[in-house]
Amino acid sequence: MMFDLRPLALAALFALAPGIAVAAETWDDKLFNPKPADGDVVLPLPCGGAMAFRKLSVPGDSVYADYAVTIGIQDEARGFAEGARTAHVAGSFSDGKTQRYVLMAKYEVTEAQYEAVMAGGDCPAKPSMAKRLPKTELSWIDSVNFADRYSQWLRKNAAAKLPKEDGEMGYARLPTEVEWEFAARGGIKASPAEFNERLFPMPEGMARYVWFAGSQSANGKPQLTGLLQPNPLGLHDILGNVDEIALEPFRLSRLDRLHGQVGAFVVRGGNYLTAEADMRASYRQEVPFYDGDAPRRSKTTGLRIVVAAPVLTSADRLRAAQAGWSKLGAVSAPDNKPTEAKASDDPLEELALLAKSSPDTATKTRLQNLQTSLRANIAARDEQRDRAAKASLRLGAFLGRKLADDSRAVDALAKLYKARVDGGNADDPRTKAFKDQLDREQAVMDGNLRYYADSLIRTAEDYGPEVLKRQMQILLVELQGMGLGELKPYLDRNFAHVSAYQKDRKVARSQWLADWNKMQ
């Protein structure tokens, strides 16, 4: 479903600024959303315009829940700027209990959209199709000013249409580098293997998704937005056409982290002069803020915006963040704490007591630093544990689906074999062939059942119920994003088997197989 959020804002615009009502004729959809799709969110612009957005969804169910991704590329030649590293992304707005999102512009900001926002009440003439070209020759300050002007206009004229978090209205800004690359790779719509490729999946070939250099593509000039196919998230021209400016400044890559020196601004994604072979989701360039005594602007540089919200939206959210912070890396967390644990079993509590009782300031500081370091290490360990638990549940579901298929195949062969034997054809060569095939399929199924049982028991013994329950919820969000929602019954069945084993410790292979046999 596509949501058009313009009418209320247009009415407000006319009421607040009657002097420009004649100029504020509603734009044709082709000027701002030439490729409408289910899930589009449309927000109004000044002067009768609009902008289409897509949800950039991320699994997450609490203030401190974020999502680990690998960004960058394993390429020695580009490692200094694009070295692969683990980063984390999270959404601003709640979307149910298990995911959060920001809105990301579906297309690059066009000339018409830029002019409408920056007009300051003196609307230009209704835009032509030529104004659907991406707006270029922008400095970083120009881009920030555009987002600021648009945010203020939305808050004055379309507040009811802005997404809200905890009662706080969203606002427009440039995307962070991690948000941008997460989106460019396909977000949770891409499988883990697809996400880590240089490019998002392009089944029809790159020329159908990206404007790059050469006569077979852009031919040396920017193209109208939305002419090509979108990426898995429904974002058009996320690679190629024009470079897109990121929120934060450039820093070098230092193996698994960014270097401390802060530089100029960053552009992402490549442009219409970038060679086809150089296109990649990790594409990242530093651009100086200034060219001589003026801001640096380029004919290949444009922008794409997101709509997000503050982190600490209220006093309640602040208290939740404080409570979440105290639990990060805590040994006393439910799945870390032994059943009969004493206060002295928690090294963090011991360090806190030692620091509090130490009369020496230097010693107190060292103990407090050690406590923080230990908490960080425990939190990192917990993140690794969570990812492993999620992978185990996913494996169990796929093995279960394989067992369901195996069991039905074996049953069908067994019926055919029995029918031939009962029909007096026990010694027939074809009957013996059926028996040989049945034996092979039975052996394969038995081996898969042993593997499933071993995997299930290891999952049940390695991870606590709370960890598994939470990772199950996140896994369901991921699979829905990848279009694999049909796996939910298999996940549910595997989770039920694991939970039952945790309670009674019974290895019920026959029952497990029977349960899978019933799956349709």
Side-chain angles (χ1 to χ4, degrees), residues 450-467:
R450 285 194 297 272
Y451 187 26
Y452 175 75
D454 291 345
S455 176
L456 186 154
I457 292 168
R458 179 60 60 84
T459 300
E461 292 179 348
D462 284 356
Y463 311 107
E466 290 301 316
V467 167

Side-chain angles (χ1 to χ4, degrees), residues 289-313:
F289 281 108
Y290 298 97
D291 185 1
D293 59 358
R296 175 68 176 268
R297 295 181 173 93
S298 169
K299 63 182 181 180
T300 63
T301 299
L303 79 153
R304 184 188 304 261
I305 62 170
V306 300
V307 174
V311 175
L312 301 177
T313 48

Side-chain angles (χ1 to χ4, degrees), residues 35-315:
K35 296 282 184 68
D38 288 345
D40 288 351
V41 177
V42 177
L43 293 178
L45 281 171
C47 304
M51 185 175 292
F53 293 84
R54 302 288 294 178
K55 282 186 177 181
L56 181 59
S57 297
V58 184
D61 57 3
S62 65
V63 175
Y64 267 102
D66 57 9
Y67 192 66
V69 293
T70 299
I71 63 173
I73 191 172
Q74 295 288 359
D75 185 335
E76 191 66 25
R78 293 296 306 167
F80 70 94
E82 302 172 16
R85 62 184 176 87
T86 299
H88 294 80
V89 64
S92 290
F93 306 105
S94 301
D95 191 9
K97 295 182 178 179
T98 57
Q99 61 183 338
R100 300 169 66 80
Y101 70 93
V102 297
L103 294 178
M104 176 168 274
K106 183 176 177 179
Y107 310 93
E108 293 160 335
V109 173
T110 66
E111 293 178 0
Q113 290 168 331
Y114 188 84
E115 291 174 3
V117 169
M118 305 304 285
D122 186 14
C123 290
K126 184 179 178 181
S128 65
M129 191 62 68
K131 292 289 186 178
R132 213 177 80 197
L133 284 169
K135 175 61 181 174
T136 60
E137 299 195 57
L138 294 170
S139 71
W140 186 84
I141 293 296
D142 293 333
S143 300
V144 171
N145 284 340
F146 171 83
D148 174 56
R149 293 278 284 272
Y150 188 30
S151 294
Q152 292 190 47
W153 187 89
L154 284 168
R155 285 169 166 246
K156 291 176 183 175
N157 298 284
K161 302 303 180 181
L162 277 170
K164 296 176 178 64
E165 177 63 15
D166 200 24
E168 178 68 27
M169 284 186 289
Y171 57 88
R173 61 164 169 79
L174 292 172
T176 68
E177 287 206 69
V178 176
E179 286 170 341
W180 188 94
E181 189 165 333
F182 179 69
R185 291 179 177 275
I188 60 172
K189 295 288 187 181
S191 71
E194 291 170 340
F195 189 91
N196 288 327
E197 294 287 349
R198 289 173 62 95
L199 302 165
F200 62 82
M202 299 180 184
E204 299 178 43
M206 188 187 294
R208 296 284 292 156
Y209 299 84
V210 180
W211 292 114
F212 51 84
S215 58
Q216 300 303 310
S217 185
N219 201 26
K221 57 185 179 181
Q223 302 294 318
L224 297 179
T225 59
L227 293 178
L228 300 181
Q229 297 298 316
N231 84 340
L233 287 176
L235 302 173
H236 291 262
D237 306 316
I238 191 75
L239 300 181
N241 210 17
V242 295
D243 296 311
E244 299 178 10
I245 301 174
L247 179 63
E248 63 265 54
F250 180 85
R251 291 191 286 166
L252 290 170
S253 175
R254 186 181 167 92
L255 297 179
D256 63 343
R257 65 175 176 84
L258 293 179
H259 186 261
Q261 181 182 352
V262 173
F265 70 92
V266 178
V267 296
R268 302 297 308 251
N271 59 65
Y272 58 88
L273 298 179
T274 303
E276 179 180 6
D278 290 335
M279 282 296 173
R280 55 193 182 275
S282 63
Y283 188 100
R284 178 175 183 261
Q285 300 282 335
E286 181 183 24
V287 178
F289 281 108
Y290 298 97
D291 185 1
D293 59 358
R296 175 68 176 268
R297 295 181 173 93
S298 169
K299 63 182 181 180
T300 63
T301 299
L303 79 153
R304 184 188 304 261
I305 62 170
V306 300
V307 174
V311 175
L312 301 177
T313 48
S314 66

